[in-house]
Amino acid sequence: MKQLTQIGATTQEAISLALQKLGKTREQVDVEVLQEGKKGFLGFGARSAEVRVTVKEEQVQPAIDVVQVAEQKHSAKELSFKATDLDDVETVSSQVSEQTMGIEAVQQVIVEESTEEEENSANPIEEAKAYLVNIAEQLDIQDLEIDTAREGKYVLFQLKSEKAALLIGKRGQTLNSLQQLTQLVLNKSAKQFLMVKLDVENYRERRQEALEQLADRMADKALRLNQRVAFEPMQSYERKIIHNQLANRLDIETYSEGTEPNRYLVIEPVK
């Protein structure tokens, strides 16, 4: 069963992108909405929609049935074929060679056009870099430097500027929003789905160290007061850092409460 998880600015855009990549119509798939999209203000605070699209299992009719239908109508030319029904075309290719040759010709044209479009398409990473430069200019940042590195489906954008604080925002909120938007821009023209990690002056590494230290302090506080303590709302990846930091401690437990974007983490002493 073929399945694809896709993000988009809106739920409909995510579904459309997934259908394009799978080469299927809406009727040929089942769609599960994992996260609704959210519009931000002036491009910030946005949250992309995420869907899981599963291709329905097709019921392929045996070749003998198709041949019998053709014999009953006494003419193979009366059969109607669609260019997308490739499996059915292959099963009766020997009986309707003229139609098959015509379909193969159409397929060849489609392949040639697709190849030409791919060759003419811009580099998605360069498009994403241009987008970040444009955002920086709107924030009056003229000295932005961008280094990129790719490993498999992950692409790292490392930003440098004397005005790094503007790109990071309060507790990394602006940086997280830019990361989501950059991922949308990158995947508009990418041949495969790519994951973006956006960092400014190694902020994420410093933030992780700060969160790990905060986790230890809050755990000690929970034990000292013998009561649960709660963190302020955080992004899911930041909550995960704290969970991992305290995972080996047997005297406390951690769990999350609330709904996004106000979901927060709780530390509670083990009774």
Side-chain angles (χ1 to χ4, degrees):
M1 181 180 295
K2 193 169 184 181
Q3 191 176 81
L4 175 67
T5 299
Q6 178 66 50
I7 65 171
T10 64
T11 300
Q12 186 57 46
E13 179 179 302
I15 294 174
S16 297
L17 290 173
L19 293 177
Q20 291 177 13
K21 293 181 180 180
L22 293 171
K24 299 294 181 180
T25 65
R26 182 62 178 82
E27 292 73 19
Q28 293 175 307
V29 300
D30 292 321
V31 177
E32 179 184 358
V33 179
L34 303 178
Q35 177 175 275
E36 294 287 350
K38 177 184 177 183
K39 293 183 178 179
F41 178 71
L42 296 179
F44 298 102
R47 183 177 65 200
S48 57
E50 184 175 4
V51 299
R52 180 182 294 120
V53 178
T54 304
V55 177
K56 297 179 181 177
E57 294 184 0
E58 298 181 358
Q59 300 296 326
V60 180
Q61 193 175 25
I64 186 63
D65 293 340
V66 179
V67 174
Q68 290 174 351
V69 172
E71 292 175 347
Q72 292 172 2
K73 293 188 177 182
H74 306 288
S75 174
K77 292 183 179 180
E78 294 177 4
L79 293 175
S80 175
F81 294 95
K82 296 181 180 179
T84 55
D85 296 335
L86 300 181
D87 292 337
D88 290 344
V89 172
E90 293 175 355
T91 61
V92 295
S93 58
S94 60
Q95 287 80 16
V96 286
S97 58
E98 292 183 2
Q99 285 88 338
T100 302
M101 292 174 62
I103 291 173
E104 289 177 349
V106 172
Q107 287 178 285
Q108 183 62 30
V109 171
I110 292 174
V111 170
E112 291 176 355
E113 291 179 349
S114 298
T115 302
E116 183 178 353
E117 289 178 358
E118 290 178 357
E119 292 176 351
N120 294 333
S121 61
N123 185 326
I125 294 180
E126 292 301 319
E127 289 184 351
K129 288 175 65 175
Y131 170 77
L132 289 170
V133 170
N134 182 50
I135 290 294
E137 290 177 349
Q138 294 183 40
L139 295 174
D140 196 26
I141 298 176
Q142 307 299 330
D143 62 341
L144 182 66
E145 297 180 14
I146 305 177
D147 293 326
T148 62
R150 179 173 177 179
E151 184 175 348
K153 68 175 183 178
Y154 295 93
V155 182
L156 170 64
F157 291 82
Q158 184 66 251
L159 311 185
K160 297 179 181 179
S161 171
E162 292 184 359
K163 298 182 178 180
L166 291 178
L167 296 169
I168 296 172
K170 183 179 179 181
R171 296 187 181 87
Q173 292 178 357
T174 302
L175 181 60
N176 292 332
S177 297
L178 280 174
Q179 178 171 288
Q180 292 180 352
L181 293 169
T182 303
Q183 181 159 300
L184 290 175
V185 173
L186 184 68
N187 283 291
K188 282 179 63 177
S189 57
K191 296 179 181 179
Q192 69 174 99
F193 182 74
L194 300 173
M195 297 291 293
V196 169
K197 180 180 179 182
L198 194 67
D199 201 359
V200 178
E201 304 282 359
N202 294 319
Y203 166 80
R204 295 198 184 280
E205 181 179 347
R206 300 196 307 273
R207 177 64 172 168
Q208 178 173 341
E209 293 176 355
L211 287 173
E212 289 172 348
Q213 295 173 7
L214 177 62
D216 291 333
R217 292 198 303 271
M218 293 292 279
D220 293 340
K221 180 179 179 180
L223 291 174
R224 186 173 67 254
L225 300 177
N226 194 29
Q227 66 182 32
R228 55 175 264 166
V229 294
F231 291 78
E232 62 183 12
M234 294 180 179
Q235 296 281 335
S236 60
Y237 84 93
E238 292 190 333
R239 297 197 303 271
K240 185 177 180 180
I241 290 174
I242 296 175
H243 280 302
N244 292 340
Q245 177 68 11
L246 302 177
N248 294 327
R249 294 191 58 160
L250 303 179
D251 51 353
I252 54 96
E253 60 179 348
T254 62
Y255 53 90
S256 295
E257 291 184 346
T259 57
E260 300 291 358
N262 298 314
R263 194 165 174 78
Y264 58 91
L265 188 140
V266 175
I267 299 177
E268 186 170 358
V270 174
K271 303 298 183 181

